[in-house]
Amino acid sequence: MTRVLALMWLSATLVAGCVFQSAPATPPPAPAPTTAPAKPAASAPTVAPAAPAPTAVAAATAAAAPVAKAPALPTGPVEIVFWNITLPGQPEIVADRVKEYTAAHPNVKFQVDNLAYSDLETKLRVAMGTGAGPDLTLVNSGWLPPYAEKNNFVPISPQALGYPSLEAMRQAYIPAALDAVIYDGKIMAIPYYWNVFNLYINTAHFKEAGLDPDKDYPKTWDEVLAVGRKLTKTEGGKITRQGFRFPIVNRPNVQSSFEPILFQLGGSAIGPDGKCALNSPAGVKAMDLYASFTRQKVMDPNVSVATVPIPTLDIAKEVTSMETGHPLTVQFIRANNKAMFDSKGFKVVPYPQVDPSKPLTVMNGQTFAVNAAAGPDKIAVAQDFLRTLIARPNEWLARVGAIAPIKALLETPEATTFPYLDVILNDMKYGRHITLSKFAAEISEGEFRAVQAVLLSSVDSKRALDEACVEINRAIGY
Amino acid sequence: MASSLALARQRITAISRLRRHRDLLMALLFLSPALTYFTLFKFYPMLQAALISLFDYDLLSPPRYVGLYNFALLLTDTTFHRAIAASFFYVAGVAIPVWVVALGFALIFNRPGRTRQFYRLLYFLPAVSSVVVAAIVWKFLFNPLGLVNAFLSSFGVDQVNWLTRLDTAMWALIIVGIWRTTPYFMIVYLAGLKGVPQEYYEAAAIDGANDWQCFRYITLPLLQPTIALVVIVTVILGLRHFINPLIMTGGGPAGTTRVLPLLIYETGFQFTRMGLASAMSMVFFAIVMVFTVLQLRIFRRIGSE
């Protein structure tokens, strides 16, 4: 009798638990992508002129093509949940843009969640998968493929952003950057902060070694090795200053430093047969080149992999003479070593090449995307807000250091406040996005483990890449 | 007379049965908050995980039933096998020293004395510190230019790249694991030692037994249930642990410290292969259960002998 009672009680609790818990939420079917309402072309993202006379961009956009009708935005109350990141300056500029928009649209409220970037990828995936995703969110361009495949984001209409057509938008943007966010002819997210990888050098170290930083900076990987040897300092057999360094702290760092070499040598992460191609002859050659800096004692991976959370801080701290990095490095130098920044103690030069006649570097960036499950009112408002959000990219440049992949950015007065913006934007022309795949996480993890094995434990490059490919192929389904 | 006696007996039986039911109901009432919590937040998610293990689920698409396919994948998955080996290596490295060292500290701190109480508190601090904060601090300590190498260099030991060498990274994690786990089980042993009647030691002293004999013939046998608890729990905790590998090494270098919980986390939340991650966790659960049952049987056999 007692056992029966106990069993009855347990069953009741279990049933209660099942009732109040939800089963794994199947994501709601993606609504048909809504075409964003057309906007007048005059309100294209103009670069706000600092001088009284309008800039070339403003003039060009003023004389733009036919004006589309204003959209019918909802008049009732709408609340938009917006996931932003805590990059210095970004929460503030987003708050200002929200204020600007809500002043013009008092029925709209925003809930802006400023998240740590390191948490965003997993949080977003889990939230989108369980139907709890934000209405508008920041998304790294490398995360887009699985969302694009499932139509989780609303395609963004060029007209919504003030362009008469996609072609007009491609003319205004750096094409390679925009192409990275176009899936099946549709723009799945809008890039506002684009990274391209260049080489950052310490000019004082160059001069100390008897080199001219304006002429003697390396253009090829062989030159990087040669110059790196001259810049490296050792003490008692240990490297005290690395002449050159790849950032290898985590998988995004490794992917963005390994893949340019892989691509320059004609390789790729995934082959035409859909299987992992890292262990191809080109991949092995790329790994050997990558490891040559460690093998020839120009780089010490043990020091940098252990603690530095932001690898490009080493340039700011002047413990590295040369390092590949993205434009945020300039911000870090400005914030952490003002003396170096003010005295032009650093220089940004084009990315080193295997073959200078075929330049190639890698890029990726941050974008904003609208959740397709947000509901028609929220989608309409979010798309409309996007135009306000990304307007005046020169302001984003000045306040956040965000380089929008827009050609006209270089013509703005703010461009002069960002050193070497011309080099950065020029390299974007030769940029290729890091491997875009729904298995991007597994690919970058495989590359990361292979690089660790080769650089930290002197494992043979072919063996390390073979093991990486076993894991990647397992994920793909081979 | 006989019938009134039988009636009285029946009445007594009925009353005691009623009392037992009432006691049971009272017990269930008091247990219900904890049981509800466990049901909702432990048993139900476990059942869900078991269900998801039969599906291919990447969070963005509806789950697709694949039966035992995920389990079949694990049979030939060398990464999974290596993660199990890493977990066992970690457990062996942490648990065995903890069994001995924690008992040693407990024996030392079991004696009265104000100073001992202060040191007991000090030694317990690692157990109450934040796991994440401790991991970050240890990561700095194990930096090639950190305090551990600075300390070792005073003895003429060369710089060791603790967290980036294949042969030292796991040992660094084991050191941190022992540092953190020992104080907790020291307290468990202390509680067990308090349960050993002092009269036995007094009687043994009268019979001329020395300290080792007291320990061997009185303390150890009477401490057996506590030892069993410590052994089982250290193994379970060791198999479950993943914060230190996550923060200190990220599973590297080259996957050498990628213990099974970390692999499950990566598979589920970085690669978003929830079905495969759930299958891994089911296998992991089975392994832990087998070990626990084995240990219980061994200790029961020792106890009966």
Side-chain angles (χ1 to χ4, degrees):
Chain A
M1 181 62 179
T2 55
R3 281 182 198 165
V4 169
L5 277 172
L7 208 60
M8 279 173 60
W9 186 93
L10 276 170
S11 308
T13 324
L14 206 63
V15 167
C18 295
V19 165
F20 288 115
Q21 283 274 348
S22 54
T26 57
T34 56
T35 309
K39 278 284 194 181
S43 50
T46 53
V47 175
T55 63
V57 170
T61 52
V67 169
K69 282 189 185 168
L73 291 171
T75 50
V78 176
E79 183 170 346
I80 301 289
V81 175
F82 178 11
W83 281 10
N84 185 31
I85 56 171
T86 53
L87 193 66
Q90 182 147 333
E92 290 81 8
I93 194 171
V94 164
D96 289 344
R97 297 298 168 94
V98 162
K99 216 168 152 177
E100 188 182 317
Y101 189 82
T102 50
H105 303 85
N107 62 315
V108 177
K109 264 171 69 174
F110 283 84
Q111 180 197 315
V112 180
D113 296 330
N114 294 308
L115 306 169
Y117 182 72
S118 53
D119 296 338
L120 182 62
E121 183 179 8
T122 305
K123 271 196 168 122
L124 185 65
R125 188 82 177 230
V126 173
M128 294 292 284
T130 54
D135 305 312
L136 177 66
T137 181
L138 183 145
V139 184
N140 183 286
S141 52
W143 308 342
L144 282 173
Y147 297 113
E149 191 188 45
K150 308 277 188 310
N151 291 316
N152 286 128
F153 295 133
V154 173
I156 295 170
S157 153
Q159 286 79 12
L161 299 174
Y163 295 94
S165 65
L166 177 59
E167 194 44 49
M169 197 168 166
R170 288 184 92 251
Q171 291 296 320
Y173 276 75
I174 291 171
L178 201 60
D179 288 342
V181 295
I182 292 176
Y183 292 80
D184 293 332
K186 293 175 270 186
I187 304 171
M188 297 311 291
I190 189 74
Y192 80 95
Y193 186 158
W194 209 243
N195 290 324
V196 71
F197 287 79
N198 306 95
L199 184 67
Y200 290 75
I201 67 173
N202 183 312
T203 55
H205 292 178
F206 265 64
K207 288 171 189 164
E208 193 187 291
L211 298 165
D212 182 347
D214 293 323
K215 291 184 194 149
D216 297 331
Y217 67 85
K219 288 99 181 160
T220 66
W221 290 110
D222 290 338
E223 287 176 13
V224 173
L225 195 56
V227 171
R229 278 201 209 100
K230 290 180 188 171
L231 295 167
T232 299
K233 279 191 175 170
T234 55
E235 208 175 282
K238 287 180 208 144
I239 297 177
T240 50
R241 188 177 79 190
Q242 299 180 76
F244 171 76
R245 197 189 75 139
F246 286 119
I248 59 168
V249 172
N250 51 35
R251 49 185 180 89
N253 288 149
V254 166
Q255 189 175 26
S256 58
S257 57
F258 176 70
E259 287 197 351
I261 303 176
L262 178 68
F263 297 158
Q264 286 174 9
L265 285 165
S268 61
I270 302 291
D273 56 358
K275 291 188 188 176
C276 172
L278 287 175
N279 56 351
S280 63
V284 174
K285 209 170 164 188
M287 183 61 84
D288 282 335
L289 196 158
Y290 196 90
S292 62
F293 299 96
T294 299
R295 290 170 184 160
Q296 304 210 29
K297 310 271 188 240
V298 169
M299 172 177 158
D300 184 355
N302 293 290
V303 174
S304 40
V305 81
T307 49
V308 177
I310 304 170
T312 45
L313 268 175
D314 274 3
I315 279 281
K317 289 184 203 167
E318 303 194 60
V319 295
T320 302
S321 301
M322 297 190 288
E323 183 166 342
T324 59
H326 53 60
L328 206 53
T329 309
V330 176
Q331 301 296 89
F332 287 135
I333 295 172
R334 197 203 304 253
N336 292 278
N337 193 339
K338 195 115 189 356
M340 187 188 195
F341 185 86
D342 291 338
S343 64
K344 291 281 170 76
F346 74 101
K347 189 176 169 74
V348 182
V349 299
Y351 202 81
Q353 304 294 325
V354 165
D355 181 356
S357 67
K358 297 177 195 165
L360 188 151
T361 180
V362 293
M363 53 188 190
N364 66 357
Q366 312 305 335
T367 69
F368 291 118
V370 178
N371 189 350
D377 284 352
K378 292 189 179 201
I379 288 172
V381 169
Q383 291 224 22
D384 191 53
F385 170 65
L386 265 181
R387 202 223 310 255
T388 305
L389 184 61
I390 64 167
R392 306 186 301 280
N394 51 326
E395 208 175 295
W396 278 93
L397 178 67
R399 293 177 64 175
V400 182
I403 300 174
I406 292 175
K407 291 173 189 165
L409 192 63
L410 209 49
E411 298 163 25
T412 65
E414 284 79 359
T416 58
T417 65
F418 198 104
Y420 306 108
L421 185 62
D422 54 333
V423 175
I424 293 167
L425 285 173
N426 191 58
D427 259 6
M428 277 192 196
K429 286 190 228 153
Y430 311 113
R432 176 174 154 179
H433 201 283
I434 54 173
T435 303
L436 280 169
S437 162
K438 66 178 185 176
F439 302 106
E442 288 92 333
I443 291 168
S444 61
E445 184 72 26
E447 289 171 354
F448 179 50
R449 300 232 180 263
V451 159
Q452 278 197 323
V454 174
L455 265 60
L456 297 174
S457 302
S458 306
V459 171
D460 176 67
S461 299
K462 178 81 170 80
R463 187 184 136 199
L465 290 169
D466 282 341
E467 287 178 9
C469 275
V470 165
E471 288 196 23
I472 293 167
N473 283 332
R474 177 178 65 99
I476 294 173
Y478 289 106
Chain B
M1 179 74 175
S3 62
S4 61
L5 208 61
L7 208 65
R9 270 203 204 109
Q10 272 180 12
R11 207 176 277 169
I12 290 167
T13 311
I15 289 169
S16 64
R17 202 180 291 149
L18 205 65
R19 273 205 189 124
R20 275 203 306 272
H21 287 160
R22 198 179 61 193
D23 288 346
L24 175 68
L25 282 171
M26 286 300 289
L28 285 176
L29 191 68
F30 279 105
L31 284 172
S32 57
L35 281 176
T36 307
Y37 168 81
F38 274 103
T39 307
L40 283 178
F41 297 109
K42 303 282 181 186
F43 301 135
Y44 181 74
M46 280 169 64
L47 283 174
Q48 260 199 3
L51 194 66
I52 294 171
S53 68
L54 304 174
F55 289 81
D56 179 20
Y57 182 41
D58 69 354
L59 288 177
L60 294 180
S61 316
R64 185 172 61 94
Y65 179 74
V66 292
L68 296 175
Y69 176 71
N70 289 324
F71 293 96
L73 268 183
L74 295 178
L75 285 174
T76 53
D77 187 351
T78 49
T79 309
F80 180 66
H81 303 156
R82 272 194 226 129
I84 292 177
S87 281
F88 279 120
F89 188 90
Y90 178 80
V91 166
V94 171
I96 296 169
V98 166
W99 300 340
V100 176
V101 174
L103 179 58
F105 277 126
L107 288 168
I108 292 169
F109 290 123
N110 192 33
R111 295 172 193 184
R114 230 178 260 172
T115 326
R116 281 181 206 275
Q117 281 192 19
F118 169 74
Y119 280 110
R120 193 193 322 176
L121 173 69
L122 208 64
Y123 276 104
F124 191 62
L125 284 178
V128 297
S129 59
S130 157
V131 184
V132 172
V133 170
I136 292 170
V137 170
W138 274 105
K139 190 172 172 179
F140 278 102
L141 290 174
F142 277 124
N143 184 283
L145 306 170
L147 282 178
V148 171
N149 276 338
F151 174 72
L152 290 173
S153 67
S154 60
F155 297 100
V157 176
D158 274 341
Q159 178 179 296
V160 179
N161 297 317
W162 288 97
L163 300 177
T164 55
R165 271 176 53 174
L166 287 175
D167 55 349
T168 56
M170 184 57 94
W171 287 108
L173 294 181
I174 285 170
I175 289 168
V176 178
I178 294 170
W179 170 84
R180 189 172 169 80
T181 316
T182 302
Y184 179 80
F185 290 102
M186 174 190 78
I187 298 297
V188 173
Y189 275 129
L190 267 173
L193 286 169
K194 293 293 179 207
V196 177
Q198 283 301 310
E199 297 81 43
Y200 292 171
Y201 293 112
E202 286 162 11
I206 291 168
D207 288 344
N210 59 29
D211 285 344
W212 167 250
Q213 285 169 323
C214 286
F215 176 75
R216 169 80 175 82
Y217 295 109
I218 300 172
T219 310
L220 267 186
L222 290 174
L223 211 51
Q224 200 196 314
T226 309
I227 294 172
L229 174 74
V230 168
V231 168
I232 291 168
V233 175
T234 48
V235 169
I236 293 173
L237 288 180
L239 284 171
R240 273 178 41 184
H241 194 63
F242 97 112
I243 292 285
N244 286 348
L246 177 71
I247 290 176
M248 291 174 67
T249 58
T256 46
T257 60
R258 192 201 246 167
V259 293
L260 190 52
L262 183 58
L263 178 64
I264 292 171
Y265 169 77
E266 284 178 359
T267 307
F269 293 103
Q270 285 185 10
F271 308 150
T272 59
R273 301 184 71 187
M274 287 303 195
L276 186 63
S278 297
M280 287 181 184
S281 59
M282 290 296 109
V283 172
F284 185 40
F285 173 71
I287 291 171
V288 175
M289 280 301 292
V290 162
F291 262 88
T292 306
V293 166
L294 268 173
Q295 285 168 89
L296 280 169
R297 284 206 177 155
I298 289 168
F299 277 103
R300 248 183 236 141
R301 195 175 296 166
I302 293 171
S304 63
E305 280 167 9

